[in-house]
Amino acid sequence: TLFRSVIGEESETSEPVSEPAPVEYEYEIDIAPYLKYICPDDADEYALLVNYDHRLTGEYIPGDLKETDWTRKDRDKIKLRENCVMALDAFLKEAALNGVTDVSVTSGYRSYSYQKWLFAYYVEQHQSKFATREECEEYVMTFSCREGCSEHQTGLALDMHNLPAADEAFADTASYAWLSANAHRFGFILRFPKGKEDITGISYEPWHYRFVGREAATIIYENNLTLEEYVEIYYPSSADWN
Ligand code: ZN
């Protein structure tokens, strides 16, 4: 029983408070070896918010990057933080048991310098459509982040889909339907959902998942929140971050 302290006129007393019913999770795979990764003790660390207003410096390099075997076969093994790698392994093994066998990871940890290169690359690709570089950069910012603003630098974000290249059409697949409905059970959220573009600043990305841990993921999923909204509620002092 959970007790809430009640400050009385003269003395402190306690009265029982009913605990919220715990969410029941069921898995087809043996989840036991994965639970410590899916439900990390240091949950705060996995709620790290990175966006245009909350930037990482070039010095931010996670110390526990590991390769994922779910990397698409045509590229070098992608790295993610250990908890994210393990949670993803559980997620995609469970997905396979549910008929989702065609999804692989196409992007994970990206360094500050790579993100900088990537942004410049996209600007170059689209420059001909715009009169000025500023206009082009503003356009590119709707789908790619500047260095320091991409949560791919955290090692907790990944792109996965079953198309030659990431595309919104992935949202129409059966694989996406299963993944998006079950991600929270493994600690993941769809980071850039449809209809929340004004909050995330990024267009809908049905392929981009972010590891935040199961508890946070469940709250975010069940309340249709973004990480921005979640952090504002649970970590209000983060508004001061830069
Ligand atoms: Zn991504």
Side-chain angles (χ1 to χ4, degrees):
T1 309
L2 189 70
F3 284 90
R4 180 176 59 197
S5 292
V6 177
I7 309 298
E9 286 158 11
E10 293 182 16
S11 64
E12 199 174 283
T13 56
S14 293
E15 63 176 36
V17 174
S18 62
E19 268 185 273
V23 181
E24 296 286 341
Y25 291 95
E26 279 176 24
Y27 300 89
E28 289 172 48
I29 60 164
D30 176 14
I31 203 70
Y34 292 106
L35 278 179
K36 66 172 177 171
Y37 301 104
I38 292 171
C39 308
D41 291 333
D42 46 349
D44 293 3
E45 193 176 333
Y46 297 92
L48 177 62
L49 177 65
V50 177
N51 59 25
Y52 193 75
D53 299 318
H54 301 84
R55 303 184 187 202
L56 297 172
T57 68
E59 272 91 74
Y60 187 92
I61 301 167
D64 58 353
L65 293 171
K66 302 268 188 290
E67 291 179 344
T68 174
D69 290 334
W70 294 95
T71 303
R72 203 161 82 179
K73 299 298 174 219
D74 64 351
R75 54 194 69 192
D76 292 341
K77 284 277 172 74
I78 285 165
K79 290 180 182 172
L80 294 161
R81 289 191 60 187
E82 185 177 27
N83 278 54
C84 185
V85 164
M86 297 303 290
L88 178 68
D89 193 43
F91 186 15
L92 292 183
K93 278 179 176 161
E94 181 92 352
L97 291 179
N98 285 274
V100 180
T101 55
D102 56 355
V103 164
S104 58
V105 178
T106 58
S107 187
Y109 169 69
R110 292 181 204 151
S111 69
Y112 185 91
S113 55
Y114 178 75
Q115 192 65 36
K116 188 172 180 172
W117 175 88
L118 190 64
F119 186 85
Y121 169 81
Y122 284 135
V123 170
E124 205 143 293
Q125 292 280 300
H126 296 278
Q127 186 61 76
S128 62
K129 292 186 253 170
F130 298 90
T132 67
R133 188 171 177 91
E134 287 67 35
E135 282 173 50
C136 184
E137 286 182 351
E138 226 160 89
Y139 167 70
V140 172
M141 278 166 62
T142 64
F143 64 85
S144 183
C145 300
R146 286 182 179 279
E147 63 276 13
C149 307
S150 170
E151 62 169 17
H152 277 283
Q153 195 184 334
T154 65
L156 299 171
L158 63 115
D159 299 337
M160 60 178 164
H161 54 84
N162 56 15
L163 304 173
D167 190 280
E168 215 179 295
F170 179 55
D172 301 327
T173 66
S175 293
Y176 169 79
W178 192 90
L179 293 176
S180 58
N182 290 277
H184 63 286
R185 299 199 293 128
F186 300 88
F188 290 91
I189 57 165
L190 195 62
R191 180 66 178 85
F192 305 115
K194 201 178 187 123
K196 296 274 188 169
E197 295 86 347
D198 55 330
I199 296 171
T200 63
I202 301 285
S203 48
Y204 178 41
E205 291 196 354
W207 57 85
H208 181 114
Y209 283 90
R210 163 66 195 270
F211 181 77
V212 294
R214 194 173 71 179
E215 195 184 338
T218 300
I219 293 169
I220 289 169
Y221 176 75
E222 292 186 343
N223 296 285
N224 190 29
L225 301 174
T226 58
L227 187 57
E228 278 80 4
E229 294 167 302
Y230 175 81
V231 166
E232 200 177 309
I233 295 165
Y234 291 88
Y235 302 90
S237 64
S238 69
D240 308 330
W241 297 354
N242 197 353

